Short mmCIF file of all heavy atoms in Angstrom, two decimals:
data_model
loop_
_atom_site.label_atom_id
_atom_site.label_comp_id
_atom_site.label_asym_id
_atom_site.label_seq_id
_atom_site.Cartn_x
_atom_site.Cartn_y
_atom_site.Cartn_z
N VAL A 44 -2.71 -6.44 -6.52
CA VAL A 44 -2.32 -7.51 -7.43
C VAL A 44 -1.65 -8.61 -6.61
O VAL A 44 -1.20 -8.37 -5.49
CB VAL A 44 -1.36 -7.00 -8.53
CG1 VAL A 44 -2.04 -5.98 -9.41
CG2 VAL A 44 -0.10 -6.43 -7.94
N ASP A 45 -1.58 -9.82 -7.17
CA ASP A 45 -0.88 -10.90 -6.50
C ASP A 45 0.59 -10.53 -6.37
O ASP A 45 1.18 -9.96 -7.29
CB ASP A 45 -1.02 -12.21 -7.27
CG ASP A 45 -2.44 -12.74 -7.25
OD1 ASP A 45 -3.20 -12.31 -6.36
OD2 ASP A 45 -2.77 -13.58 -8.09
N ILE A 46 1.20 -10.85 -5.24
CA ILE A 46 2.55 -10.39 -4.94
C ILE A 46 3.58 -10.98 -5.92
O ILE A 46 4.56 -10.32 -6.25
CB ILE A 46 2.92 -10.69 -3.48
CG1 ILE A 46 4.06 -9.79 -3.03
CG2 ILE A 46 3.28 -12.14 -3.27
CD1 ILE A 46 4.17 -9.64 -1.55
N ASP A 47 3.33 -12.18 -6.43
CA ASP A 47 4.29 -12.76 -7.37
C ASP A 47 4.16 -12.16 -8.77
O ASP A 47 5.07 -12.28 -9.58
CB ASP A 47 4.13 -14.29 -7.43
CG ASP A 47 2.72 -14.72 -7.77
OD1 ASP A 47 1.80 -13.90 -7.63
OD2 ASP A 47 2.55 -15.89 -8.16
N GLN A 48 3.06 -11.48 -9.06
CA GLN A 48 2.87 -10.84 -10.35
C GLN A 48 2.99 -9.32 -10.28
O GLN A 48 2.74 -8.62 -11.26
CB GLN A 48 1.49 -11.20 -10.91
CG GLN A 48 1.30 -12.67 -11.13
CD GLN A 48 -0.12 -12.99 -11.54
OE1 GLN A 48 -0.98 -12.12 -11.54
NE2 GLN A 48 -0.37 -14.24 -11.87
N ALA A 49 3.41 -8.78 -9.15
CA ALA A 49 3.43 -7.33 -8.95
C ALA A 49 4.43 -6.64 -9.88
O ALA A 49 4.10 -5.63 -10.51
CB ALA A 49 3.75 -7.01 -7.50
N GLU A 50 5.65 -7.15 -9.96
CA GLU A 50 6.67 -6.50 -10.80
C GLU A 50 6.26 -6.51 -12.27
O GLU A 50 6.45 -5.52 -12.97
CB GLU A 50 8.01 -7.19 -10.61
CG GLU A 50 8.62 -6.99 -9.24
CD GLU A 50 8.93 -5.54 -8.94
OE1 GLU A 50 9.33 -4.81 -9.88
OE2 GLU A 50 8.77 -5.12 -7.78
N MET A 51 5.70 -7.61 -12.73
CA MET A 51 5.27 -7.71 -14.12
C MET A 51 4.12 -6.74 -14.39
O MET A 51 4.09 -6.07 -15.43
CB MET A 51 4.83 -9.14 -14.43
CG MET A 51 4.49 -9.37 -15.87
SD MET A 51 4.15 -11.09 -16.25
CE MET A 51 2.79 -11.45 -15.16
N ALA A 52 3.20 -6.60 -13.44
CA ALA A 52 2.07 -5.69 -13.60
C ALA A 52 2.55 -4.24 -13.63
O ALA A 52 2.05 -3.43 -14.42
CB ALA A 52 1.06 -5.89 -12.48
N VAL A 53 3.53 -3.91 -12.80
CA VAL A 53 4.07 -2.54 -12.78
C VAL A 53 4.71 -2.20 -14.11
O VAL A 53 4.52 -1.10 -14.65
CB VAL A 53 5.08 -2.38 -11.61
CG1 VAL A 53 5.86 -1.10 -11.75
CG2 VAL A 53 4.35 -2.42 -10.28
N GLU A 54 5.47 -3.12 -14.68
CA GLU A 54 6.11 -2.87 -15.98
C GLU A 54 5.07 -2.67 -17.07
O GLU A 54 5.23 -1.79 -17.93
CB GLU A 54 7.05 -4.02 -16.33
CG GLU A 54 8.24 -4.14 -15.41
CD GLU A 54 9.07 -2.86 -15.35
OE1 GLU A 54 9.29 -2.23 -16.42
OE2 GLU A 54 9.45 -2.47 -14.24
N LYS A 55 4.00 -3.46 -17.05
CA LYS A 55 2.94 -3.30 -18.05
C LYS A 55 2.21 -1.98 -17.87
O LYS A 55 1.87 -1.30 -18.85
CB LYS A 55 1.95 -4.45 -17.96
CG LYS A 55 2.48 -5.75 -18.49
CD LYS A 55 1.41 -6.83 -18.39
CE LYS A 55 1.92 -8.15 -18.90
NZ LYS A 55 0.91 -9.22 -18.77
N LEU A 56 1.96 -1.60 -16.62
CA LEU A 56 1.24 -0.35 -16.36
C LEU A 56 2.07 0.86 -16.76
O LEU A 56 1.52 1.85 -17.26
CB LEU A 56 0.87 -0.26 -14.87
CG LEU A 56 -0.26 -1.18 -14.43
CD1 LEU A 56 -0.31 -1.25 -12.91
CD2 LEU A 56 -1.59 -0.71 -14.99
N LYS A 57 3.37 0.81 -16.59
CA LYS A 57 4.22 1.94 -16.96
C LYS A 57 4.22 2.20 -18.46
O LYS A 57 4.44 3.32 -18.89
CB LYS A 57 5.66 1.68 -16.49
CG LYS A 57 5.87 1.88 -15.03
CD LYS A 57 7.32 1.66 -14.65
CE LYS A 57 7.54 1.87 -13.17
NZ LYS A 57 8.94 1.63 -12.78
N LYS A 58 3.94 1.19 -19.25
CA LYS A 58 3.95 1.33 -20.71
C LYS A 58 2.66 1.95 -21.26
O LYS A 58 2.63 2.33 -22.42
CB LYS A 58 4.18 -0.04 -21.36
CG LYS A 58 5.55 -0.58 -21.11
CD LYS A 58 5.72 -1.93 -21.74
CE LYS A 58 7.08 -2.51 -21.42
NZ LYS A 58 7.23 -3.87 -21.97
N LEU A 59 1.62 2.03 -20.45
CA LEU A 59 0.35 2.58 -20.92
C LEU A 59 0.45 4.10 -21.08
O LEU A 59 1.05 4.78 -20.25
CB LEU A 59 -0.77 2.22 -19.95
CG LEU A 59 -1.04 0.72 -19.77
CD1 LEU A 59 -2.07 0.51 -18.67
CD2 LEU A 59 -1.50 0.09 -21.07
N HIS A 60 -0.15 4.62 -22.14
CA HIS A 60 -0.02 6.04 -22.45
C HIS A 60 -0.78 6.94 -21.48
O HIS A 60 -0.47 8.12 -21.35
CB HIS A 60 -0.46 6.32 -23.89
CG HIS A 60 -1.94 6.19 -24.10
ND1 HIS A 60 -2.55 4.97 -24.28
CD2 HIS A 60 -2.91 7.13 -24.14
CE1 HIS A 60 -3.85 5.16 -24.44
NE2 HIS A 60 -4.10 6.46 -24.36
N TYR A 61 -1.77 6.43 -20.81
CA TYR A 61 -2.56 7.25 -19.89
C TYR A 61 -2.07 7.18 -18.45
O TYR A 61 -2.65 7.78 -17.56
CB TYR A 61 -4.05 6.88 -19.96
CG TYR A 61 -4.34 5.41 -19.78
CD1 TYR A 61 -4.48 4.86 -18.52
CD2 TYR A 61 -4.49 4.57 -20.87
CE1 TYR A 61 -4.77 3.53 -18.34
CE2 TYR A 61 -4.78 3.23 -20.72
CZ TYR A 61 -4.92 2.71 -19.45
OH TYR A 61 -5.20 1.38 -19.28
N VAL A 62 -0.96 6.49 -18.21
CA VAL A 62 -0.39 6.36 -16.86
C VAL A 62 0.75 7.35 -16.70
O VAL A 62 1.69 7.38 -17.51
CB VAL A 62 0.09 4.92 -16.62
CG1 VAL A 62 0.82 4.82 -15.30
CG2 VAL A 62 -1.09 3.96 -16.64
N LYS A 63 0.68 8.15 -15.66
CA LYS A 63 1.72 9.13 -15.37
C LYS A 63 2.90 8.46 -14.67
O LYS A 63 4.05 8.62 -15.07
CB LYS A 63 1.16 10.25 -14.50
CG LYS A 63 2.04 11.47 -14.40
CD LYS A 63 1.44 12.53 -13.51
CE LYS A 63 0.17 13.10 -14.09
NZ LYS A 63 -0.34 14.25 -13.33
N ARG A 64 2.62 7.72 -13.60
CA ARG A 64 3.65 6.97 -12.87
C ARG A 64 3.00 5.88 -12.06
O ARG A 64 1.81 5.90 -11.79
CB ARG A 64 4.49 7.89 -11.99
CG ARG A 64 3.73 8.48 -10.85
CD ARG A 64 4.56 9.40 -10.02
NE ARG A 64 3.60 10.10 -9.17
CZ ARG A 64 3.87 11.01 -8.31
NH1 ARG A 64 5.10 11.38 -8.16
NH2 ARG A 64 2.94 11.57 -7.60
#
Side-chain angles (χ1 to χ4, degrees):
V44 297
D45 292 341
I46 201 160
D47 55 342
Q48 299 174 354
E50 292 297 324
M51 185 174 59
V53 167
E54 294 304 318
K55 287 181 181 178
L56 287 166
K57 284 182 179 179
K58 292 179 183 177
L59 298 174
H60 71 279
Y61 53 85
V62 173
K63 193 181 294 187
R64 67 182 168 181

